[in-house]
Amino acid sequence: MAIPVSQAWTVATYVIKQKLAGRKRYPLVLMLEPLFRCNLACAGCGKIQYPAHILKAELTPEECFKAVEECGVPMVSIPGGEPLLHPKMPEIVQGLIDRKKYVYMCTNALLLKEKLHLFKPSKYLSFSVHVDGEKEHHDFGVCREGGHDIAMEGVRAAVAAGFRVTTNTTLFDGADPNSVRRHFDQLMEAGVDSMMISPGYTYDKAPDQKHFLGRARSRKLFRALLSNRKKRWQFNANPIFLEFLMGKRELTCTPWGMPTFSIFGWQKPCYLLQDGYADTFQELLDEVDWANYGTESGNPRCANCMVHSGYEASGVNYTFGSLKGLIATAKAMFGGLYEDPDAQKLLNDWKPTNHGQLVQIGSGILSAESERVNHSESLAVGD
Amino acid sequence: MATEQQEHLKIEELQQLSPDQIEVMAGRDRENLEGWIPALATEAEVKDAFEKAFDYRGDVTLTLKSGEVVEGYIYDRRQGSTLENSLVRVMPSKGEDRSRRSIPYSEIAALNFSGRDTAAGKTFEAWVKKYWEKKAAGEKNIQIEPEKLD
């Protein structure tokens, strides 16, 4: 099973309680960002673009615990920055485990192997290792040669030490579903419990501004990727959300489903958009004009978003919203290999694109030399 | 945050097309604001300048009407109906007291985008170009290093 039964039970009872209490807006996962500094400078991420005094700042363990208690979520994801750079991360993680929160500690795993001894295996703790694809694809995405090997070494060490390990793969325009499927095989062979997957977001602070997927392309990519899936692939995702990515279902955004707390406070309105900060979680719920966000709002900044932080909670909401939702989810969980001959044809005929190489290097289609020519011809010159 | 004109163009585009027809989002173009000292003569200029300061990924210097100078990062702004009830929220970068401050627009005499724009010049294209140059030169372990913080 991709997640422990106790976690599934905790989440299910939490959601049902919220619904019985008549709460229209409730959070599912807290995105806790205890620091922004990182040991990578990825092209698709603008999180680390701050002055040095901001990058040096970090939340104290007490501030982290207060935020978790304030919003009352059953699950906490710790992104960043790179959380393993926080000197008190073991204390923060243990404090959350003591509070019986299911913790996903997101990491690029560059430091995982050497810091593993600071943590104890627990059903409440998963290391969520960011691996964006096969070796060359990942390395290019994180702008560091050798990054994939170190990350996978961290994954194997954590698995061997008895930790729960999930992976997180973000796909941008140009991703090759055949390669990503091989990547899934490699991850399962390495012993990970489950995999998360999401399209990248049109993040306006990211250095790369040319490789964000539109909705139609996302659906095509995910249909090719997730149809005819292998039995052994385990996903750490609501199956309804995966169906949404494949274009089999419409969902509306739930921007309050995964609120973000950082050194600035509660981020308005969501993990991806930065329209200011609230000092309390209640203030966040009360002050944000939620109708202004989500694809259906017409907000151009939300137009192509299909990211898990907006839509995973929508999938969970659908699951527990009706008997139909529960049946659809159960069907997807226990039988959903999504056999689809058209999707297989799509996969067979897929031509890796070559318009930017965020993830496409060494595709095997082009020789290194011709790729180099393509690169230099297609690039705008930066310094 | 895009400029007003970029937002307007995106909205116009969206009115013509469904999101499914927009394949790859264009992203945003950056404004070069580093070193800018905006005129704060009218209420509209003040509000516009602080919107840009909120979006700016570098420190700014605020000179208050009291004569005090505050350097730091503007992490939030709240626009009210008047300059008195509009404010910026700052994390100071210097001085003994680094606690966050909220400063009403009406108390600010001057704004200077004095700090380096940490989001500027780090294009993906630059990384790709550099990568292939280094690769061609036979270098190994090519990477972008995060900036030193000291």
Side-chain angles (χ1 to χ4, degrees), chain A residues 43 49 53 56 143 145 204-205 207 209-210 214 216-217 219 263 274-277 279 304 375, chain B residues 1 20 23 25 27-28 55 57 59 76-78 89 100 122 124-125 131-132 135 141-142 144:
Chain A
Q49 291 168 350
H53 68 102
K56 285 179 187 172
C143 305
E145 276 189 350
D204 72 9
K205 296 291 191 301
Q209 288 289 310
K210 294 181 179 168
R217 288 164 87 107
R219 288 184 182 127
I263 57 166
Q274 225 170 342
D275 278 352
Y277 289 86
D279 292 328
N304 277 277
H375 277 294
Chain B
M1 187 187 300
D20 284 353
E23 291 299 285
M25 292 299 282
R28 65 173 292 192
D55 188 43
R57 285 291 174 111
D59 282 335
D76 195 11
R77 84 298 181 222
R78 297 190 179 180
R89 306 171 83 198
R100 301 177 195 195
K122 294 172 182 165
F124 187 71
E125 288 78 9
Y131 177 85
W132 287 109
K135 194 89 174 165
N141 300 320
I142 305 165
I144 301 180

Side-chain angles (χ1 to χ4, degrees), chain A residues 72-90:
Chain A
V73 285
M75 294 182 282
V76 181
S77 177
I78 309 179
E82 168 52 47
L84 288 174
L85 291 176
H86 193 302
K88 294 194 171 169
M89 189 45 57

Side-chain angles (χ1 to χ4, degrees), chain A residues 7 10 35 59 72 78 90 97 113 127 160 165-166 198 261 282 290 302-303 315 329 335 341 365 368 378 381:
Chain A
Q7 182 177 344
T10 301
L35 79 176
L59 292 174
I78 309 179
I97 290 172
K113 201 175 164 190
F127 287 112
V165 180
T166 63
S198 180
F261 184 78
Q282 195 56 49
W290 298 104
C302 300
T329 305
I365 301 297
S378 66
V381 177

Side-chain angles (χ1 to χ4, degrees), chain B residues 57-87:
Chain B
R57 285 291 174 111
D59 282 335
V60 300
T61 303
L62 302 171
T63 306
L64 308 192
K65 287 178 180 166
S66 65
E68 186 188 359
V69 174
V70 180
E71 285 181 57
Y73 183 76
I74 293 183
Y75 70 95
D76 195 11
R77 84 298 181 222
R78 297 190 179 180
Q79 286 209 8
S81 52
T82 65
L83 296 184
E84 284 73 26
N85 63 19
S86 301
L87 52 87

Side-chain angles (χ1 to χ4, degrees), chain A residues 37-41 43 46 49-56 140 143-145 173 202-217 219 263-264 274-279 283 300 303-304 356-358 372 375 379-383, chain B residues 1-2 7 10-11 14 19-20 22-28 30 54-55 57-59 72-73 75-78 89 91-93 98 100 118-119 121-132 135-136 139-146 149-150:
Chain A
R37 70 179 175 276
C38 191
N39 46 6
L40 284 176
Q49 291 168 350
Y50 287 107
H53 68 102
I54 299 294
L55 293 177
K56 285 179 187 172
F140 216 65
C143 305
R144 175 176 174 148
E145 276 189 350
D173 188 37
T202 320
Y203 188 57
D204 72 9
K205 296 291 191 301
D208 179 22
Q209 288 289 310
K210 294 181 179 168
H211 302 92
F212 298 116
L213 281 161
R215 283 198 149 205
R217 288 164 87 107
R219 288 184 182 127
I263 57 166
F264 298 136
Q274 225 170 342
D275 278 352
Y277 289 86
D279 292 328
E283 188 187 315
N304 277 277
Q357 285 75 28
L358 179 65
R372 192 153 46 239
H375 277 294
L379 298 176
V381 177
D383 59 8
Chain B
M1 187 187 300
E7 291 286 298
K10 277 188 185 175
I11 290 166
L14 285 169
D20 284 353
I22 303 169
E23 291 299 285
V24 180
M25 292 299 282
R28 65 173 292 192
R30 292 185 188 286
F54 165 64
D55 188 43
R57 285 291 174 111
D59 282 335
Y73 183 76
Y75 70 95
D76 195 11
R77 84 298 181 222
R78 297 190 179 180
R89 306 171 83 198
M91 287 185 111
S93 59
R98 301 276 192 93
R100 301 177 195 195
T118 61
K122 294 172 182 165
T123 64
F124 187 71
E125 288 78 9
W127 151 241
V128 175
K129 183 173 181 283
K130 201 170 284 181
Y131 177 85
W132 287 109
K135 194 89 174 165
E139 279 190 41
K140 303 268 186 216
N141 300 320
I142 305 165
Q143 61 178 301
I144 301 180
E145 292 274 5
L149 298 184
D150 296 317

